[in-house]
Amino acid sequence: GSFASLSPQAPYPELDVSLKFAYHVLLDLGLTPEELNYRDVSKASLSFSSGSNYTNCVHELVLGNADLCLGDFWGTPERLVLGVGFSGVYQENMFLIVPCASKNAGTL
C-alpha cells in the first residue's frame, strides 16, 4: 500500500497497521504525505547496512539526509549505537523457546 490519496476519514484496508499509524502521526504533525520529500537511501547508508531498510533510514538520520523515520521497527543494538533517539509507542516482550538438545540438559 501507499499513502496516495488518503483522507483522515477514508477507509484504507490496503495499508498495513504501521502505514496507518504513520499516516496519523503525520496528520498530528500537521503534515500530509504529499508534503514529504521522499528520497532514495544514500550509498553511504547502503554500505553501512545493506540488509535492513530500517537501519538504513536510521543511518540517514545520523547523516542528516532525513528528518524522520516512521515504522514498526526495533531499537536494535546496531541502531542504538548510532545515537539516534528512539521514541517507542509500545513495547513487546519476546521470549525465544527452543527444544533442549538432550533431555538431561536441564529445564526452564
Side-chain angles (χ1 to χ4, degrees), residues 52-105:
S52 169
N53 289 333
Y54 298 122
T55 301
N56 290 339
C57 187
V58 172
H59 193 251
E60 290 292 295
L61 291 172
V62 171
L63 296 176
N65 295 338
D67 296 319
L68 181 67
C69 293
L70 289 174
D72 55 349
F73 51 94
W74 300 335
T76 63
E78 181 184 27
R79 296 172 190 148
L80 293 173
V81 76
L82 293 172
V84 175
F86 281 88
S87 178
V89 175
Y90 66 91
Q91 179 177 335
E92 289 180 308
N93 293 321
M94 300 180 74
F95 301 94
L96 179 62
I97 301 173
V98 297
C100 293
S102 165
K103 287 188 179 189
N104 296 328

